[in-house]
Amino acid sequence: MSDVRRLPDLAATEALGASIAYAMDERPGGAIYLRGPLGAGKTSFARGLLRALGVTGAVRSPTFTLMEVYETRRASILHLDLYRLSGSDELYQLGVDEYPPDAWWWLVEWPERAAEGLPPASLEIEFAYAGSGRRAELIYHRRGA
């Protein structure tokens, strides 16, 4: 099942993230893949999602740290930015095995950089430029699919 959303501005992108955060209460873990070119809204989406889950501190793109860990009353999140990885072997050097995806939500930017080492996606979001705004195609995957 897929759904396409128009995102005319930054606020709409963050609001999309917040709306997905509320749906995350249905299960304790999973993986959300964020795809798209640089600047298309992946980190803005992540910021909206994390704020809606109760993260009050700085929400940074993990471009240089590669991963950030957030624990809130509602969810445990592992936010990964794999842009600088060259393969799945580098993923496990980060220590991601300490965050099992059945208990943690993996929010993954650039999942194609380490696809073989990632858990199956619960949701994939493809961000793209659309005029002066953005668009997001949400592709939902059923549990066990």
Side-chain angles (χ1 to χ4, degrees):
M1 180 173 114
S2 72
D3 176 20
V4 176
R5 309 275 179 96
R6 265 188 40 74
L7 305 170
D9 55 26
L10 175 65
T13 304
E14 290 181 354
L16 175 62
S19 72
I20 298 300
Y22 297 114
M24 291 168 62
D25 286 336
E26 297 174 13
R27 58 192 281 200
I32 300 172
Y33 293 176
L34 307 177
R35 301 180 189 278
L38 289 170
K42 297 179 296 293
T43 301
S44 297
F45 168 88
R47 185 176 302 109
L49 182 141
L50 290 164
R51 290 274 181 249
L53 290 173
V55 173
T56 57
V59 175
R60 297 175 289 279
S61 171
T63 301
F64 296 104
T65 59
L66 303 179
M67 74 180 204
E68 294 286 337
V69 174
Y70 300 93
E71 292 192 71
T72 72
R73 284 183 281 156
R74 290 184 51 210
S76 298
I77 312 292
L78 177 64
H79 184 190
L80 297 158
D81 184 329
L82 306 181
Y83 183 75
R84 297 184 320 134
L85 264 59
S86 61
S88 298
D89 54 329
E90 292 180 12
L91 179 66
Y92 284 93
Q93 293 174 9
L94 299 175
V96 297
D97 52 333
E98 296 177 29
Y99 307 97
D102 58 339
W104 283 73
W105 279 97
W106 288 33
L107 186 59
V108 185
E109 298 185 40
W110 303 97
E112 59 276 8
R113 301 285 182 152
E116 303 83 33
L118 294 173
S122 308
L123 171 65
E124 294 181 71
I125 305 176
E126 179 75 40
F127 292 91
Y129 293 102
S132 62
R134 308 286 189 269
R135 69 179 273 290
E137 180 178 4
L138 288 74
I139 303 163
Y140 300 93
H141 299 279
R142 293 187 177 193
R143 185 183 282 216

